[in-house]
């Protein structure tokens, strides 16, 4: 069996497992879905696995969209969902080049609008940046020894 075939097999198994788990939850929660899922068992194995794989793909896409919107809400500091029509959220950032040969390193991260970032997060980012700078300086000292 080639690596590509093995990879496809694992991927399809993953999606079938997601679809089967989703179907099981539907059976537990909704009696109407229970009848529909029981009828599915009368079909061939290939048809059932293909349906479950398709359902798994859609469940993964929904979960990914949910997680992306949740992360975007945390980054933007809002409680509302401000995602675009296709379910994706764009976060615009800019970065400043950091040179390793300096002892003081400054990393500037700007977001639009910048005032949406909570001050506690900003303080934590500054503290982590300072720790990173001191670690880089320490590494540079160890290299020169």
């Amino acid at each position: 069996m080639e690596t590509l075939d093995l990879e496809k097999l694992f991927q399809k198994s993953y999606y079938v497992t997601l679809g089967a788990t989703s179907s099981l939850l539907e059976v537990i929660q909704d009696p109407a879905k229970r009848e529909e899922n029981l009828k599915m068992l009368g079909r061939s194995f290939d048809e059932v696995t293909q349906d479950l794989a398709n359902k798994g793909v859609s469940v993964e896409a929904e979960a990914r969209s949910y997680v992306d919107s949740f992360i975007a809400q945390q980054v933007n500091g809002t409680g509302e969902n401000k995602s675009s029509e296709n379910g994706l959220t764009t976060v615009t950032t800019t970065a400043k080049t950091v040179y390793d040969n300096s002892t003081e390193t400054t990393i500037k991260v700007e977001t639009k609008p910048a005032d949406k970032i909570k001050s506690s997060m900003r303080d934590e980012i500054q503290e982590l940046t300072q720790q990173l700078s001191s670690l880089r300086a320490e590494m540079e000292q160890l290299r020169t020894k």
Side-chain angles (χ1 to χ4, degrees), residues 36-56:
E36 183 181 318
N37 286 331
L38 287 175
K39 288 178 185 176
M40 183 174 62
L41 295 177
R43 299 187 327 214
S44 73
F45 180 75
D46 290 336
E47 290 175 346
V48 172
T49 56
Q50 186 60 42
D51 286 347
L52 290 175
N54 291 339
K55 190 173 204 170

Side-chain angles (χ1 to χ4, degrees), residues 84-104:
S84 61
E85 291 179 14
N86 60 2
L88 300 176
T89 302
T90 303
V91 178
T92 305
T93 61
T94 58
K96 183 179 177 183
T97 305
V98 178
Y99 299 100
D100 287 337
N101 57 0
S102 66
T103 57
E104 287 295 317

Side-chain angles (χ1 to χ4, degrees), residues 58-83:
S58 65
V59 166
E60 182 190 36
E62 288 175 21
R64 194 171 296 237
S65 175
Y66 175 77
V67 169
D68 288 345
S69 67
F70 178 76
I71 290 172
Q73 288 175 5
Q74 296 302 315
V75 168
N76 292 333
T78 61
E80 300 175 9
N81 187 3
K82 293 188 177 182
S83 55

Side-chain angles (χ1 to χ4, degrees), residues 1-7:
M1 198 176 234
E2 294 182 24
T3 305
L4 187 60
D5 293 337
L6 191 58
E7 182 180 334

